[in-house]
Amino acid sequence: MPTKPHSTPSSHLHAHRAGDSTHHHVAEGRSPKVLAWAVMFTLSFAVIEVVAGFWSNSLALISDAGHMVTDSTALGLALLAQYIATRPPSPKNSFGFGRAEALAAFINGLAMLAVVGWIIIEAVHRFANPEPVQGKAVFIVALIGLMINLIVAWLLSHDQKSVNTRAALVHVIGDLLGSVAALIAGAVIYFTGWLTIDPLLSLVVSMLILKSTFGVLSESYHVLMEGVPHHIDYVQVGADIAAVNGVVSVHDLHVWEMSAGHPALIGHLEIHDLQEWPIVLRDIKTMLLARHGIDHVTLQAELPGMAENH
């Protein structure tokens, strides 16, 4: 008598059949070419701006250079995360690697906080001890940086399906603001000699960047901690399920994001008659998709009192 194999191919276990959700565990709709071009543009100019920033002794330009270096790393990490996220589920990672994007976005946000912290400390020091700055060189380099950042921001704006790409875009927007600040600082220093404008504009840009950075950190942290998606009302979901004909009560209900933009739901239901379960389940799935945008649904049916007997 033939024996069954001890292992089952993971592709069979992960397969979706008729009646299952339409959600796939592999990240789709991503554009790695967009990030690849962004990495190339940002990294190429980052080296130039770092050298020019220290040569001209401009904090505004050094700040923008720091953003560019951080962006090069962030965009490269985002590109790597998108590649990882396209890998199919495995026996050890049954949900796939979609959360790699949220993890990379969270790391990007922390890196930006570190850069902003350094800028603030250096700016405060320069208020007390102004240092000479070559305004003309700052203006020319900042103008080139502004054009580069506009190109990269335009590229990234065409791929907004990924939280990680949006996180990378936050970095680039910060760079764009940094280039504008450096541009203004260079012009003011060249024409008036007022050195305080350099650390002052660096602080202004840092405050603007912080707001966007905290938003990215909050969103990626929420995904990593399996929080209820912001657009879904958890209490209302439970009430809507309980209101479906044939459902007695709902318990052990969980709603989270398997990866950014892909909500999932699991729970236990008490129903009047187990023979009606196929119809009840169909009605629940139809309702959840129509009202809450949830199509990855796993529910266990129980008769009243079964939970207490476990």
Side-chain angles (χ1 to χ4, degrees):
M1 181 177 179
T3 60
K4 293 183 179 180
H6 292 289
S7 61
T8 305
S10 60
S11 58
H12 170 75
L13 295 175
H14 295 301
H16 290 253
R17 297 183 176 181
D20 291 345
S21 74
T22 58
H23 166 71
H24 296 278
H25 300 294
V26 177
E28 299 176 332
R30 302 293 189 257
S31 180
K33 289 184 178 180
V34 169
L35 281 178
W37 279 104
V39 170
M40 185 189 72
F41 278 121
T42 308
L43 184 59
S44 298
F45 189 73
V47 177
I48 298 174
E49 195 167 29
V50 166
V51 175
F54 283 99
W55 176 71
S56 63
N57 199 34
S58 168
L59 179 58
L61 195 58
I62 292 175
S63 301
D64 192 33
H67 293 166
M68 294 289 279
V69 171
T70 304
D71 284 347
S72 300
T73 304
L75 291 170
L77 186 59
L79 184 61
L80 177 62
Q82 285 200 359
Y83 168 74
I84 293 174
T86 60
R87 295 175 59 188
S90 69
K92 292 185 177 180
N93 299 92
S94 62
F95 279 119
F97 299 86
R99 285 192 188 172
E101 293 185 87
L103 179 60
F106 190 76
I107 295 174
N108 290 353
L110 293 178
M112 182 59 83
L113 286 181
V115 171
V116 170
W118 176 83
I119 294 171
I120 293 174
I121 294 173
E122 184 65 21
V124 171
H125 173 74
R126 290 203 178 192
F127 277 124
N129 303 282
E131 298 183 13
V133 177
Q134 299 186 36
K136 184 177 180 179
V138 173
F139 182 86
I140 294 174
V141 176
L143 182 60
I144 299 173
L146 178 62
M147 291 187 292
I148 294 294
N149 286 318
L150 286 173
I151 293 173
V152 174
W154 179 79
L155 287 172
L156 293 177
S157 67
H158 286 70
D159 184 24
Q160 288 294 290
K161 295 181 180 180
S162 164
V163 63
N164 201 44
T165 303
R166 294 198 300 272
L169 182 58
V170 167
H171 280 265
V172 175
I173 291 175
D175 262 339
L176 195 151
L177 293 174
S179 295
V180 171
L183 195 69
I184 296 173
V188 170
I189 292 172
Y190 179 74
F191 289 107
T192 70
W194 186 40
L195 296 177
T196 306
I197 188 68
D198 192 53
L200 180 62
L201 288 180
S202 296
L203 287 179
V204 172
V205 172
S206 296
M207 295 302 103
L208 294 175
I209 297 171
L210 279 178
K211 180 180 180 181
S212 297
T213 301
F214 282 131
V216 170
L217 285 172
S218 176
E219 182 178 359
S220 56
Y221 175 81
H222 193 74
V223 173
L224 292 173
M225 294 302 294
E226 300 183 333
V228 177
H230 296 297
H231 68 282
I232 294 177
D233 186 335
Y234 173 81
V235 176
Q236 187 61 50
V237 168
D240 288 344
I241 294 177
V244 172
N245 187 37
V247 176
V248 177
S249 66
V250 183
H251 65 96
D252 200 17
L253 182 67
H254 302 278
V255 182
W256 78 103
E257 285 187 297
M258 297 173 62
S259 60
H262 297 290
L265 177 149
I266 61 174
H268 291 226
L269 307 180
E270 291 186 352
I271 63 175
H272 290 290
D273 187 351
L274 287 178
Q275 291 185 346
E276 297 179 357
W277 176 234
I279 298 175
V280 174
L281 180 60
R282 181 199 62 194
D283 292 344
I284 292 174
K285 286 186 173 182
T286 301
M287 179 275 297
L288 287 174
L289 182 60
R291 296 186 185 179
H292 303 283
I294 304 174
D295 77 331
H296 201 287
V297 179
T298 305
L299 294 170
Q300 177 174 318
E302 302 169 348
L303 290 175
M306 284 180 61
E308 286 77 5
N309 295 329
H310 287 172

